[in-house]
């Protein structure tokens, strides 16, 4: 028996373009209850990153793929097929890397191997929607002699920040003497600069503040105004807005604000032409506001949510969805005098004519620091299998 343990050192969330590093340890455990122990042999082990795409058959017409080739190979137990048994299509994969050949482990002995690979910068982000899913996994394949291949899958999350692909790093070290033994250090240095660049770009894009003021009105007149100071956010931030109903002619009885994502399938891949868009609500604020001059809301953008993106198949956009309930009468008629005694009591009317209307405000949601997103990730940094 051999235990295989894979550990992602920095956490299970990465930016596209970063280097994923994983330490894979193979151990021949020495059991205290066993009376005899022997050496264990592995013929080979290999690792590869792949992205699996799955779509709802009721909503999406899948593009053609060469999946039949993988099915034929999967029957041959000597071929390493990382996505064997997975649903959907493998739309992206890195070249496989061999970790070792002919490994012998004595009882109680263990050996560790380091795997690193740059995540493709032009791939889709991790996403689990109502119509499609993009799932990233690092698959480690091991095989004993004359035995079937065993697969250890390590799921992880990928965030995509647009703009990194076209950035050219300055050649600061062009005048320095070249050293072939520093190749790995230079790669790590560039990866670190990529993460710093992404953090800087996100900070610049989401720190710009300017007053956005919108008048809220219906067919009868002005209800109030809405103010928001920015429309570009990172996941993990709070969307904050304020209402001013003091200048309105139409009394507002109640309002609600929902933070939503809009998942739409590109027209050529829709199962039915003109099929409706899928909406998901991530946070909601509702408030009764009759005779309220001003009000505000704060909606958190979950760190586990997916920033907006577009691929050739699906598009994800963010928005604030507003719903207002207004009175068809003036504000004074919303209350009635209860008694004729010295103490006057005002109560609400039992019935009231109301109007409802909605409004959508598009916002932009970007990724955040992957280390921060790792704290709330559903994936574990450590995965294991026994073969």
């Amino acid at each position: 028996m051999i235990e295989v343990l894979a550990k992602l050192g920095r956490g299970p969330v990465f930016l596209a373009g970063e280097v994923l590093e994983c330490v894979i340890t193979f151990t021949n455990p020495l059991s205290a209850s066993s009376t005899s122990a022997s050496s264990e042999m592995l013929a080979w082990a290999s690792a590869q990153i792949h992205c699996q795409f799955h779509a709802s058959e009721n909503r999406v017409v899948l593009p053609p793929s060469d999946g039949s080739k993988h099915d034929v190979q999967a029957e041959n137990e000597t071929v390493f097929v990382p996505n064997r048994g997975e649903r959907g299509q493998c739309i992206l994969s890195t070249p496989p890397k061999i970790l070792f050949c002919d490994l012998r482990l004595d009882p109680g002995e263990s050996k560790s191997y380091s795997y690193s690979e740059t995540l493709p910068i032009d791939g889709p982000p991790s996403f689990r929607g109502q119509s499609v899913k993009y799932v990233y996994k690092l698959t480690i394949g091991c095989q004993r002699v004359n035995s079937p291949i065993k697969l250890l899958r390590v799921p992880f999350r990928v965030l995509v920040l647009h703009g990194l692909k076209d950035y050219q790093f300055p050649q600061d070290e062009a005048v320095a003497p070249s050293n072939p033994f520093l190749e790995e250090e230079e790669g790590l240095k560039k990866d670190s600069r990529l993460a710093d660049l992404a953090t800087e770009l996100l900070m610049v894009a989401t720190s710009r503040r300017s007053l956005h003021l919108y008048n809220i009105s219906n067919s009868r007149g002005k209800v109030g105004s809405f103010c928001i100071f920015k429309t570009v956010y990172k996941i993990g931030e709070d969307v904050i807005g304020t209402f001013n109903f003091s200048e309105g002619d139409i009394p507002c009885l109640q309002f609600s604000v929902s933070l939503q994502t809009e998942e739409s399938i590109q027209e050529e891949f829709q199962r039915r032409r003109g099929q409706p868009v899928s909406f998901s609500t991530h946070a909601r604020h509702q408030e009764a506001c009759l005779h309220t001059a001003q009000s505000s809301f704060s909606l958190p953008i979950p760190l586990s949510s997916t920033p907006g993106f577009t691929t050739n198949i699906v598009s994800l956009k963010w928005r604030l969805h507003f719903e207002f309930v207004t009175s068809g009468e003036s504000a004074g008629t919303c209350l009635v005098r209860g008694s004729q005694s010295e103490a006057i009591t005002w109560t609400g009317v039992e019935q009231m004519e109301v109007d409802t209307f909605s409004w959508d405000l598009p916002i932009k949601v970007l990724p955040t620091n992957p280390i921060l997103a790792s704290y709330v990730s559903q994936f574990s940094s450590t995965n294991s299998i026994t073969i």
Side-chain angles (χ1 to χ4, degrees), residues 255-272:
F255 73 86
S256 67
V257 187
S258 300
L259 180 64
Q260 296 180 340
T261 49
E262 174 185 335
E263 179 185 349
S264 57
I265 304 300
Q266 307 296 357
E267 185 175 352
E268 58 268 31
F269 296 106
Q270 293 181 2
R271 176 66 64 179
R272 299 176 303 276

Side-chain angles (χ1 to χ4, degrees), residues 53 63 91 134 265-269 310-315:
F53 170 72
I91 62 171
Y134 293 102
I265 304 300
Q266 307 296 357
E267 185 175 352
E268 58 268 31
F269 296 106
T310 300
T311 67
N312 63 324
I313 297 177
V314 65
S315 173

Side-chain angles (χ1 to χ4, degrees), residues 37-114:
S38 60
S39 298
E40 296 280 357
M41 282 285 298
L42 281 179
W44 59 267
S46 183
Q48 184 177 8
I49 292 173
H50 62 99
C51 177
Q52 206 71 12
F53 170 72
H54 179 261
S56 170
E57 297 180 355
N58 297 328
R59 301 183 180 184
V60 182
V61 179
L62 289 176
S65 69
D66 56 352
S68 58
K69 179 179 65 175
H70 295 295
D71 294 339
V72 174
Q73 290 182 344
E75 297 175 0
N76 186 346
E77 294 296 341
T78 64
V79 177
F80 176 46
V81 183
N83 62 323
R84 182 181 59 193
E86 294 275 86
R87 299 178 61 188
Q89 301 177 4
C90 180
I91 62 171
L92 181 150
S93 63
T94 60
K97 292 185 177 181
I98 297 176
L99 301 177
F100 62 80
C101 291
D102 296 330
L103 174 66
R104 177 184 294 273
L105 294 175
D106 294 329
E109 184 182 7
S110 66
K111 288 190 177 181
S112 297
Y113 299 86
S114 178

